[in-house]
Amino acid sequence: MENPVIILGAQTVGTAALDAFLSNDVVVYCLLDDDQKLQGTELLDVPVMGNTDDGELLKLLGKKCEVFVATEDTASRRSLTQMLRTEYEAVPVNAIHARASVSQHATLGHGNYVGPNAVVAATATLGNGCLLGPNVVVEARANVGDYVQLGSGALLGADVQVGEQAFVGAGAVVVAGVKIGDKARVGAGSVVVADVPNGQTVFGNPAVKV
């Protein structure tokens, strides 16, 4: 991308997004974070300059700068993304690590993070604001809803459906055709062989309700 990027969030997700942009030689103008202890510091030689709603910096969005929302909390990512759309007519860009493999035949929304060595196969679909950790695999025809988080090494089999704001922990396997409901949570290392209802938490091999 031609324009530099402003990253909203300078903690775990912000660090990962910054690394992804730098891996593609994308210039990151600054990071913004509401933690005053971080303001005035640097992260990977990039300055942390102010709050995530800093109007003076956010007015650069559009012709001069792109934006990526990298706050830890899903509700915060959603509200910041909505604020950017309504107040600045800005849509977050995707942060895809140079070592990730995203098929040109996959469909991606806006503001997604795809970590190193992650794979998004042809005909797979990601919504908006998703976080895919390192080594995640999303197989063919899998459909991932908005603001889903997939931990490191999670595997979604073919035709898996994951609802909005769901969480799939590190190393979990969701076998082909399974549906994960909205806001459902799958524990790390679990093997999911049956559908998970909205809001339910499952864990184990095979995964059961906890």
Side-chain angles (χ1 to χ4, degrees):
M1 69 189 63
E2 296 180 1
N3 290 336
V5 178
I6 295 175
I7 298 176
L8 307 188
Q11 301 184 45
T12 304
V13 178
T15 303
L18 175 58
D19 182 55
F21 286 122
L22 296 179
S23 76
N24 289 287
D25 296 322
V26 173
V27 175
V28 176
Y29 182 77
C30 69
L31 300 101
L32 302 178
D33 198 282
D34 295 334
D35 186 345
Q36 293 187 349
K37 294 178 182 177
L38 295 175
Q39 294 170 15
T41 65
E42 290 189 345
L43 182 61
L44 306 181
D45 297 325
V46 177
V48 183
M49 297 181 69
N51 290 328
T52 53
D53 59 355
D54 189 316
E56 287 301 305
L57 288 167
L58 294 181
K59 71 182 182 183
L60 297 173
L61 301 180
K63 294 182 179 179
K64 294 182 179 180
C65 282
E66 306 291 349
V67 66
F68 182 83
V69 180
T71 53
E72 316 294 308
D73 179 64
T74 299
S76 173
R77 287 207 311 282
R78 291 182 70 203
S79 62
L80 282 170
T81 299
Q82 187 60 39
M83 179 270 290
L84 292 169
R85 289 176 182 268
T86 56
E87 295 185 26
Y88 298 94
E89 297 183 352
V91 177
V93 294
N94 290 317
I96 301 173
H97 199 281
R99 295 204 314 273
S101 175
V102 178
S103 171
Q104 62 180 345
H105 303 294
T107 301
L108 273 66
H110 302 286
N112 296 298
Y113 165 74
V114 182
N117 304 315
V119 176
V120 181
T123 67
T125 301
L126 298 184
N128 301 305
C130 297
L131 303 177
L132 278 63
N135 303 304
V136 163
V137 176
V138 181
E139 294 187 349
R141 299 181 305 278
N143 189 310
V144 179
D146 294 343
Y147 301 101
V148 166
Q149 185 170 347
L150 305 178
S152 301
L155 188 153
L156 305 184
D159 297 300
V160 164
Q161 309 287 312
V162 181
E164 293 187 7
Q165 302 180 58
F167 173 86
V168 179
V173 175
V174 183
V175 302
V178 165
K179 295 181 180 179
I180 306 293
D182 296 345
K183 298 184 178 180
R185 298 180 66 83
V186 175
S190 297
V191 178
V192 186
V193 298
D195 292 354
V196 180
N198 293 347
Q200 190 170 101
T201 298
V202 299
F203 181 75
N205 180 8
V208 294
K209 181 181 177 181
V210 295

